[in-house]
Amino acid sequence: IISISISTISIFLIYKISKKFIKNKYALFVAALFAFDPSLIENSVLGIREPIFLLFGLIAVYYGIHKNEKFIFLAFAFAGLAFDTKIAGIAIPIFLCAFILLKFKSFNKKIKFVSIGIIIFLIVASPYIILTFEQGGIPFIWILTNSMNYLETNNISPSTYSEPNESLG
């Protein structure tokens, strides 16, 4: 029930984000496409971590494109939470940094916002990074090598790869 509720909230966020770029009726269509996506429904019913990852990622994007520039810091915090959920969340702060570089004209403002944002991201994502070091690994590296070995030995496509519910070691 929690996973389905999280996915439902994500539908509204997709609508709010779409509304900033396209007309309302098209934004509603985009939200409907997202809502009736079979993989979203399946992931919500199975109770895996994909819905919470999508929610955190969408919140980060929503705050990243918000007009108030102070919300960018919240975007980096939610990007850190998304990264804690799935390693694919590393793409979100990259998007946010690119957005900052395009949004602001002043070089000093760009450096300030990117620096503070990355610090916030690292603080929020620190549990994942610290836990990996404590278990004798290097963040990001072990996931990439384990995933590639798994895909090579089991001969499956990356889109059907299911992450095990094991600890980070």
Side-chain angles (χ1 to χ4, degrees), residues 60-89:
V61 169
Y62 178 74
Y63 282 136
I65 63 173
H66 204 274
K67 289 181 182 176
N68 188 344
E69 58 192 39
K70 302 296 183 196
F71 282 135
I72 289 177
F73 299 131
L74 271 175
F76 276 101
F78 279 102
L81 291 173
F83 177 72
D84 271 348
T85 308
K86 287 186 79 162
I87 194 164

Side-chain angles (χ1 to χ4, degrees), residues 16-42:
K16 295 284 280 180
I17 292 170
S18 309
K19 226 169 56 168
K20 292 191 178 273
F21 298 105
I22 55 179
K23 294 180 182 178
N24 282 346
K25 63 181 179 180
Y26 297 121
L28 191 58
F29 179 70
V30 169
L33 283 177
F34 181 76
F36 295 115
D37 179 30
S39 61
L40 177 72
I41 296 168
E42 179 183 14

